[in-house]
């Protein structure tokens, strides 16, 4: 059988052996939780508590501002000890609610579960929004927005993303093995909202146990498990849609423009909790890993737990950390310090020591064309990057720089170790600025 | 935290692929041909190889120093240019012509444009063509293969392509060697440049490069394929005047050119579609020059002419990007 996949991409060493066999462990609560108001794509939530307030687990501490926004909730019960800018994964301090846990970890009693069978699509979507559900693969796009196609957009396919193509990360893999019931329940809720009978779960074949387990459990529910070739970025939304359906998202469009909704498997489990238990998104699984981590783990983390606390659960690192990455090594963001909290989009904490970092020997482009061969969008990264270095915004735009999904394949493969995707990111900012000004 | 952390934009890992590795693999792929040329032509071949290679490395180091550029000789591209130049010269090339060729390749072919990655033409071919035009006598004084063990002095001989051209010009008919009995050239029993001696050894090296994914199949297949196809058309028209396509394949520098010279990444198109067009152009020009041009061999000129067309090809061969589809209503 030839496995489904997309055109382009590459296969970096998946480095998942550190944690793929490790069952999810609950991470103990830290001394203080730092819960930022901005944890999703869209408008940051508006903080609605003040210092001194007693909060319960699951109680909203910031309210959604606009349609593309979600509320933020307390991840445990305790006292609000500060409302102030704190270090944020985005790189600069942003407003956050700091909670001192009281050790009780008590849920807000007003939160009540529902039977999804008794609710209609609008009510379900409302509950999902109020529970603060965002895409947990890392992009943190509010889930209810994806589930609300505008008039005239016909959604006929639901794809669940269990690909986890980023090297090192195993959070979704463990979720599929250990929380398959919640995932399947979430899929059924999503189907009901979208009015669909079927769904596809895409999983790379480097997770055979997850494929086997879900195939068996999904069969009675008319959910198809699609085995996919191990090829980065198979889990990127556009590539996953192409691999599973053969459709392409139009340039500049969204998956709904080709009739598809994609949700991460972790998001499905969170949606199940939000409906059945009434529990908002206050915790998630994150992989804490890296070649130097003494005991790498998959941790169930309360949102707002500082990264240092996660590292402490893994007995620290053998050596000095040189690079701290939130997310995977291909698209994750480097962090200024370990004081930054884990947020809703934190799929992993990856720590590299000096010796784990790639050697740099940047030379001139030899026009080998490898970046073009691996680009999953079929762009010409080296050409766009050359225009970027010359600040030729119009030429970069003409070479479709805005279609770049920033997967990093070009930089990964470049024999001259040129910072291709970095240059493209830079010029994309220039193109957006030009469009705003015109 | 008291130690310093790196902040950078993703990705944070790298494939480990380097320019040096690419150049090294190409040199490895040339080893069988180099070895055979040494066996067939002996010490003169060794001296041409050494002078060209060391000359290229030396001139590159000198140019970097004069141009105040970081020394680039360890990327291996200079050494590779030297080897390719040597493979494009006859074994009897005087030392000063070899050295001059190295200077032309590196200084005029490459460094004058800013070094590796910026040269529009294949440096080794620039040097070969300049030498061919400037020193036609020395550059076409071919020696027949004289194995190291034979103990006799070099015997001068014409290349098969040269012999064919002369015969066709004089008599209007192909000589006998071009119609039959040329298959033993395949393994290397042939007069010509160092790199023309064995199509088989070059083919092995070329396939190694494709297997290692250093080059893609597009240029060699399109180049050789179009050469065979176009020559077959002429052969079918008049087999007494135009040679068998296989004769074109195994004589001259076609295999060397198709696998090692035309695939030079810097001077060939970057997209697969562009590579196919580039290879076709090379094949077409090669046959036109061989059959109707003034020179017996046309591979070098064909590749250089197509090098000039590369920016244009790249401009018109942009891949179709993901998502250029009709939007669902």
């Amino acid at each position: 059988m030839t496995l489904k996949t997309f055109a382009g991409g590459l296969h970096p060493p998946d480095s998942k052996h550190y944690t793929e066999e490790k069952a999810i462990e609950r991470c103990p609560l830290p001394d203080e939780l730092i819960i930022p108001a901005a944890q999703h794509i869209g408008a940051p939530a508006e903080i609605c508590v003040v210092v001194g307030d007693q909060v319960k687990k699951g109680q909203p501490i910031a309210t959604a501002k606009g349609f593309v926004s979600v509320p933020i909730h307390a991840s445990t019960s305790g006292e609000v000890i500060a409302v102030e800018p704190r270090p944020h994964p985005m790189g600069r301090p942003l407003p956050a609610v700091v909670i001192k846990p009281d050790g009780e970890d008590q849920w807000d009693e007003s939160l009540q579960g529902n039977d999804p069978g008794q609710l209609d699509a609008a009510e379900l979507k409302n509950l999902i929004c109020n529970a603060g559900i965002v895409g947990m693969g890392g992009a943190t796009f509010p889930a209810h927005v994806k589930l609300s196609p505008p008039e005239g957009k016909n959604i006929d396919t639901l794809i669940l993303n269990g690909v986890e193509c980023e090297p090192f990360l195993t959070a979704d893999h463990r979720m599929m093995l250990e929380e398959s019931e919640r995932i399947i329940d979430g899929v059924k809720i999503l189907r009901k909202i979208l009015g669909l009978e079927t769904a596809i779960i895409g999983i790379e074949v480097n997770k055979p146990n997850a494929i086997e387990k879900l195939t068996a459990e999904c069969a009675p529910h008319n959910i198809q498990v699609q085995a996919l070739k191990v090829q980065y970025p198979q889990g990127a939304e556009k590539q996953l849609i192409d691999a599973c359906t053969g459709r392409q998202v139009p340039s500049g469009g969204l998956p709904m423009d080709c009739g598809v909704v994609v949700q991460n498997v972790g998001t499905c489990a969170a949606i199940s909790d939000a409906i059945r238990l009434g529990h908002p998104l206050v915790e998630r699984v994150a992989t804490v890993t890296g070649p130097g981590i003494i005991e790498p783990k998959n941790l169930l983390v309360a949102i707002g737990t500082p990264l240092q606390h996660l590292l402490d659960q893994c007995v620290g690192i053998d050596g000095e950390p040189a690079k701290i990455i939130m997310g995977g090594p291909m698209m994750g963001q480097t962090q200024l310090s370990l004081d930054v909290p884990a947020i809703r989009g934190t799929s992993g904490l990856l720590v590299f020591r000096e010796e784990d970092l790639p050697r740099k020997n940047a030379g001139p482009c030899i026009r080998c064309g490898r970046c073009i061969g691996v680009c999953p969008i079929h762009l010409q990264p080296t050409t766009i990057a050359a225009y970027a270095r010359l600040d030729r915004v119009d030429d970069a735009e003409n070479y479709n720089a805005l279609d770049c999904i920033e997967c990093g394949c070009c930089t990964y493969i470049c024999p001259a170790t040129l910072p291709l995707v970095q240059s493209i990111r830079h010029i994309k900012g220039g193109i957006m600025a030009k469009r705003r000004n015109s | 935290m008291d130690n310093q952390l790196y902040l950078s934009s993703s990705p944070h890992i790298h494939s480990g692929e380097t320019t040096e590795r690419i150049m090294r693999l190409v040199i490895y792929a040339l080893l069988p041909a180099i070895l055979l040329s040494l066996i067939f032509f002996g010490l003169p071949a060794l001296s041409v190889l050494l002078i060209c290679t060391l000359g290229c490395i030396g001139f590159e180091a000198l140019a970097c120093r004069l141009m105040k550029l970081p020394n680039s000789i360890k990327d291996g591209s200079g050494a590779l240019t030297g080897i390719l130049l040597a493979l494009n010269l006859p074994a009897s090339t005087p030392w000063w012509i070899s050295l001059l060729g190295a200077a032309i390749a590196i200084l005029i072919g490459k460094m004058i444009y800013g070094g590796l990655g910026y040269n529009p033409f294949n440096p080794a071919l620039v040097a070969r063509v300049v030498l061919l035009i400037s020193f036609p006598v020395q550059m076409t004084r071919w020696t027949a293969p004289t194995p190291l063990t034979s103990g006799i002095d070099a015997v001068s001989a014409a290349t098969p392509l040269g012999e064919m051209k002369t015969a066709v010009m004089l008599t209007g008919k192909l000589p006998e060697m071009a119609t039959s009995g040329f298959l033993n050239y395949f393994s290397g029993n042939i007069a010509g440049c160092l790199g023309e001696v064995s199509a088989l050894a070059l083919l092995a090296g070329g396939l190694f490069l494709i297997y290692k994914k250093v080059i893609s199949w597009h240029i060699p297949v399109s180049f050789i394929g179009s050469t065979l196809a176009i020559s077959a058309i002429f052969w079918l028209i008049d087999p007494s005047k135009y040679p068998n396509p296989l004769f074109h394949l195994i004589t001259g520098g076609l295999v060397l050119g198709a696998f090692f010279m035309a695939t030079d990444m810097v001077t060939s198109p970057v997209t697969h579609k562009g590579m196919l067009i580039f290879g076709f152009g090379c094949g077409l020009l090669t046959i036109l020059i061989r059959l109707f041009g003034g020179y017996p061999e046309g591979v070098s000129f064909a590749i250089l002419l197509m090098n000039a067309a590369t920016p244009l090809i790249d401009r018109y061969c942009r891949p179709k990007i993901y998502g250029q589809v009709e939007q669902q209503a």
Side-chain angles (χ1 to χ4, degrees), chain B residues 50-126:
Chain B
L50 284 179
I51 292 170
C52 287
T53 309
L54 296 177
C56 280
I57 294 172
F59 284 119
E60 180 155 334
L62 182 71
C64 287
R65 173 166 281 199
L66 292 177
M67 294 164 74
K68 299 188 171 61
L69 291 172
N71 192 330
S72 56
I73 59 168
K74 68 176 189 312
D75 66 30
S77 68
L80 177 59
T81 298
I83 293 172
L84 288 172
L85 173 63
L87 292 177
N88 275 287
L89 297 178
S92 57
T93 309
W95 66 268
W96 57 274
I97 289 187
S98 300
L99 196 64
L100 185 65
I104 294 167
I106 292 299
L107 301 180
I108 296 174
K110 181 164 116 176
M111 296 310 289
I112 203 168
Y113 298 104
L116 178 66
Y118 302 104
N119 49 302
F121 298 103
N122 186 316
L125 287 180
V126 168

Side-chain angles (χ1 to χ4, degrees), chain A residues 145-210:
Chain A
V145 180
K146 280 189 179 181
L147 297 173
S148 310
E151 206 62 45
K153 299 270 184 221
N154 180 32
I155 303 296
D156 59 13
T157 307
L158 171 64
I159 299 176
L160 291 313
N161 190 342
V163 176
E164 202 163 48
C165 58
E166 272 275 9
F168 286 98
L169 302 186
T170 56
D172 287 346
H173 184 187
R174 294 309 307 183
M175 282 293 286
M176 290 188 282
L177 288 177
E178 300 177 40
E179 302 291 342
S180 54
E181 276 172 37
R182 286 164 66 211
I183 293 172
I184 292 170
D185 189 50
V187 176
K188 291 198 290 192
I189 294 167
L190 286 170
R191 270 201 318 212
K192 172 158 186 185
I193 295 172
L194 296 168
L196 298 175
E197 301 295 318
T198 59
I200 304 168
I201 304 185
I203 307 173
E204 278 187 344
V205 288
N206 60 356
K207 298 178 259 296
N209 50 1

Side-chain angles (χ1 to χ4, degrees), chain A residues 324-390:
Chain A
I324 294 165
I325 300 157
M326 187 174 283
M330 291 300 287
M331 290 187 77
Q333 283 178 313
T334 49
Q335 300 298 318
L336 275 162
S337 81
L338 287 165
D339 301 332
V340 166
I343 58 173
R344 287 172 173 171
T346 304
S347 47
L349 165 62
L350 174 58
V351 184
F352 282 146
R353 299 160 297 178
E354 189 75 44
E355 61 263 40
D356 306 323
L357 296 172
R359 275 186 314 120
K360 280 270 169 211
N361 54 343
C365 171
I366 56 167
R367 294 171 37 86
C368 65
R370 281 164 174 63
C371 56
I372 298 169
V374 298
C375 178
I377 305 293
H378 317 311
L379 300 173
Q380 289 169 269
T382 183
T383 312
I384 301 173
Y387 285 137
R389 284 192 288 276
L390 299 168

Side-chain angles (χ1 to χ4, degrees), chain B residues 20-76:
Chain B
E20 295 91 82
R21 179 174 167 273
I22 291 176
M23 299 298 166
R24 200 166 59 233
L25 284 172
V26 178
I27 292 174
Y28 290 164
L30 284 167
L31 286 178
I34 292 172
L35 201 67
L36 274 184
S37 74
L38 293 178
I39 292 171
F40 284 123
F41 294 115
L43 285 177
L46 184 65
S47 111
V48 171
L49 265 166
L50 284 179
I51 292 170
C52 287
T53 309
L54 296 177
C56 280
I57 294 172
F59 284 119
E60 180 155 334
L62 182 71
C64 287
R65 173 166 281 199
L66 292 177
M67 294 164 74
K68 299 188 171 61
L69 291 172
N71 192 330
S72 56
I73 59 168
K74 68 176 189 312
D75 66 30

Side-chain angles (χ1 to χ4, degrees), chain B residues 315-328:
Chain B
R315 171 167 285 226
Y316 289 103
C317 290
R318 285 166 53 176
K320 181 173 186 284
I321 70 160
Y322 176 104
Q324 286 184 334
V325 289
E326 287 296 305
Q327 189 147 342
Q328 184 189 324

Side-chain angles (χ1 to χ4, degrees), chain B residues 20-257:
Chain B
E20 295 91 82
R21 179 174 167 273
I22 291 176
M23 299 298 166
R24 200 166 59 233
L25 284 172
V26 178
I27 292 174
Y28 290 164
L30 284 167
L31 286 178
I34 292 172
L35 201 67
L36 274 184
S37 74
L38 293 178
I39 292 171
F40 284 123
F41 294 115
L43 285 177
L46 184 65
S47 111
V48 171
L49 265 166
L50 284 179
I51 292 170
C52 287
T53 309
L54 296 177
C56 280
I57 294 172
F59 284 119
E60 180 155 334
L62 182 71
C64 287
R65 173 166 281 199
L66 292 177
M67 294 164 74
K68 299 188 171 61
L69 291 172
N71 192 330
S72 56
I73 59 168
K74 68 176 189 312
D75 66 30
S77 68
L80 177 59
T81 298
I83 293 172
L84 288 172
L85 173 63
L87 292 177
N88 275 287
L89 297 178
S92 57
T93 309
W95 66 268
W96 57 274
I97 289 187
S98 300
L99 196 64
L100 185 65
I104 294 167
I106 292 299
L107 301 180
I108 296 174
K110 181 164 116 176
M111 296 310 289
I112 203 168
Y113 298 104
L116 178 66
Y118 302 104
N119 49 302
F121 298 103
N122 186 316
L125 287 180
V126 168
R128 171 184 149 95
V129 164
V130 168
L131 295 180
L132 185 63
I133 296 171
S134 311
F135 309 102
V137 177
Q138 291 89 335
M139 285 292 290
T140 50
R141 192 166 58 201
W142 312 106
T143 42
T146 47
L148 280 173
T149 50
S150 71
I152 52 166
D153 280 346
V155 180
S156 75
T159 65
L161 283 172
E163 206 177 324
M164 176 198 89
K165 179 131 264 170
T166 313
V168 170
M169 276 162 66
L170 293 176
T171 67
K173 291 275 180 210
L174 284 176
E176 195 196 328
M177 46 63 70
T179 51
S180 61
F182 56 82
L183 283 175
N184 63 332
Y185 296 149
F186 200 55
S187 58
N189 189 10
I190 187 170
C193 299
L194 302 189
E196 288 176 0
V197 289
S198 174
L200 199 63
L202 290 164
L203 194 64
L207 292 178
F208 168 76
L209 288 185
I210 292 175
Y211 169 71
K212 282 289 196 182
K213 295 191 174 153
V214 174
I215 60 172
S216 73
W217 56 266
H218 300 79
I219 290 178
V221 166
S222 156
F223 191 166
I224 293 175
S226 61
T227 304
L228 289 177
I230 298 165
S231 59
I233 295 172
F234 285 106
W235 181 60
L236 289 173
I237 292 171
D238 186 355
S240 70
K241 199 169 162 201
Y242 303 111
N244 186 312
L246 283 178
F247 177 78
H248 281 288
L249 174 66
I250 58 178
T251 57
L254 180 61
V255 178
L256 177 66

Side-chain angles (χ1 to χ4, degrees), chain A residues 32 34-36 47 51 81-87 93-98:
Chain A
E32 58 175 44
I34 303 155
I35 308 177
I47 294 173
V51 176
I81 56 169
V83 177
E84 62 190 21
R86 284 293 183 105
L94 288 173
V97 175
V98 184

